[in-house]
Amino acid sequence: GGVGKTTLAQLVYNDEKVEEHFDFKVWVCVSEDFDVVRVTKSLLESVVRNTPSAASKVWESDNLDILRVELKKNSREKRFLFVLDDLWNDNYNDWDELVSPLIDGKPGSSVIITTRQQKVVEMAKTFPIYKLDPLSDEDCWSILSKHALGSDECDASKNTALEEIGRKIARKCGGLPLAL
């Protein structure tokens, strides 16, 4: 946690070229409490909201089959980007239930998953996989000094003690941008 998975996904999601490439984009925060009905309903509501020809209504049904049929119908023949942020569930059957309605999307459709769990990556069989590593101590210091001092250049002749303390703090953050 804190290495920047969600931040990186947000940068991709909000990129202008990405916006132009897809007919619609949907972001769903999944979290530890994975509920395939809730996630499918969230996807469907966002897809319908982004589809001018679709009837705009909140889906009250908790019947997964009905939700999946509607999601498939409303996303078919469209190029979509779905981001499933912070996925923890590594149950293949749940994953299959969630993504099976998305099979008929236009070529170029994508699903981005952020997760801390290697088992989720293996279950979802997502490719390519981008593993984010913690930052180096020097990169940590650069970020910390930029935020604390207003620049990444610390005047060594004036702030030696400050820089020494800052570098110790940067090392203690363990390479995690969120901690910095």
Side-chain angles (χ1 to χ4, degrees):
V3 79
K5 299 174 295 295
T6 298
T7 300
L8 179 59
Q10 286 172 337
L11 288 170
V12 170
Y13 187 83
N14 293 319
D15 185 85
E16 192 175 301
K17 289 181 183 175
V18 169
E19 183 79 38
E20 294 168 3
H21 179 75
F22 295 101
D23 296 322
F24 60 85
K25 309 177 302 179
V26 176
W27 184 287
V28 177
C29 185
V30 181
S31 209
E32 286 184 70
D33 183 25
F34 180 83
D35 176 0
V36 70
V37 171
R38 179 186 64 81
V39 175
T40 302
K41 191 182 286 193
S42 293
L43 290 171
L44 178 58
E45 287 174 354
S46 294
V47 167
V48 168
R49 195 171 32 251
N50 288 297
T51 306
S53 61
S56 180
K57 70 176 187 175
V58 175
W59 293 94
E60 296 173 7
S61 174
D62 285 334
N63 182 316
L64 184 58
D65 290 332
I66 291 171
L67 296 170
R68 290 172 65 224
V69 166
E70 287 299 319
L71 181 57
K72 183 173 185 159
K73 182 173 80 175
N74 285 287
S75 61
R76 179 182 333 172
E77 298 303 317
K78 294 185 179 99
R79 188 176 301 129
F80 56 79
L81 171 64
F82 291 151
V83 176
L84 304 175
D85 185 35
D86 202 20
L87 183 62
W88 287 68
N89 187 318
D90 62 358
N91 180 305
Y92 180 78
N93 291 331
D94 288 344
W95 174 249
D96 191 53
E97 290 283 335
L98 180 63
V99 298
S100 62
L102 310 177
I103 303 296
D104 292 332
K106 249 187 196 175
S109 293
S110 295
V111 177
I112 295 175
I113 298 170
T114 67
T115 185
R116 301 178 193 189
Q117 307 291 325
Q118 183 64 31
K119 285 183 173 183
V120 171
V121 174
E122 293 164 3
M123 174 272 312
K125 297 182 176 80
T126 58
F127 295 101
I129 297 168
Y130 295 99
K131 185 176 185 311
L132 298 181
D133 293 319
L135 300 173
S136 69
D137 286 346
E138 198 56 41
D139 288 339
C140 287
W141 167 241
S142 176
I143 289 172
L144 183 61
S145 66
K146 184 178 286 181
H147 286 281
L149 305 173
S151 77
D152 52 2
E153 297 297 321
C154 183
D155 186 347
S157 64
K158 294 180 182 174
N159 298 312
T160 338
L162 184 61
E163 180 176 352
E164 185 179 328
I165 293 167
R167 286 184 180 275
K168 285 180 183 176
I169 293 170
R171 279 192 295 278
K172 286 188 178 199
C173 289
L176 300 178
L178 185 61
L180 291 161

